Amino acid sequence: MTPGQKDFPNCPVRKAMTLIGSKWKVLLLQSLRDGRLRYGELLRRLPDISEKMLIHELKELVAVGLVAKHAYPEIPPRVEYWLTESGQQALPVVDSIVVFGRQHL
């Protein structure tokens, strides 16, 4: 447990922020909402993310079950990512962020 988690182990806001609380995770969920995307396409859709950060955030989203990944045994490697059912459940949160952002542009 990280500091603070032991004090509020059942806090739903903390849990949600742990799962999707970075700008990159929200942007990745938004990018994947329409279906499967390859790594390179995600990199093109988020041109200001570093490759290291993209790999890190995708690994975390896969680890918590919001995103699924399939690596094809090909040369060059082809990897696709898509939202799981749990990832789809996060989309209303992403939609709310979109509405809030539009109101404050």
Side-chain angles (χ1 to χ4, degrees), residues 40 57 74:
E57 296 288 68
E74 302 173 348

Side-chain angles (χ1 to χ4, degrees), residues 80-91:
E80 291 182 335
Y81 297 90
W82 64 94
L83 294 179
T84 63
E85 187 175 323
S86 292
Q88 294 282 340
Q89 291 173 355
L91 291 178

Side-chain angles (χ1 to χ4, degrees), residues 57-73:
E57 296 288 68
L58 285 169
K59 280 183 181 179
E60 285 193 359
L61 287 168
V62 169
V64 298
L66 296 178
V67 171
K69 168 186 173 179
H70 181 75
Y72 294 88

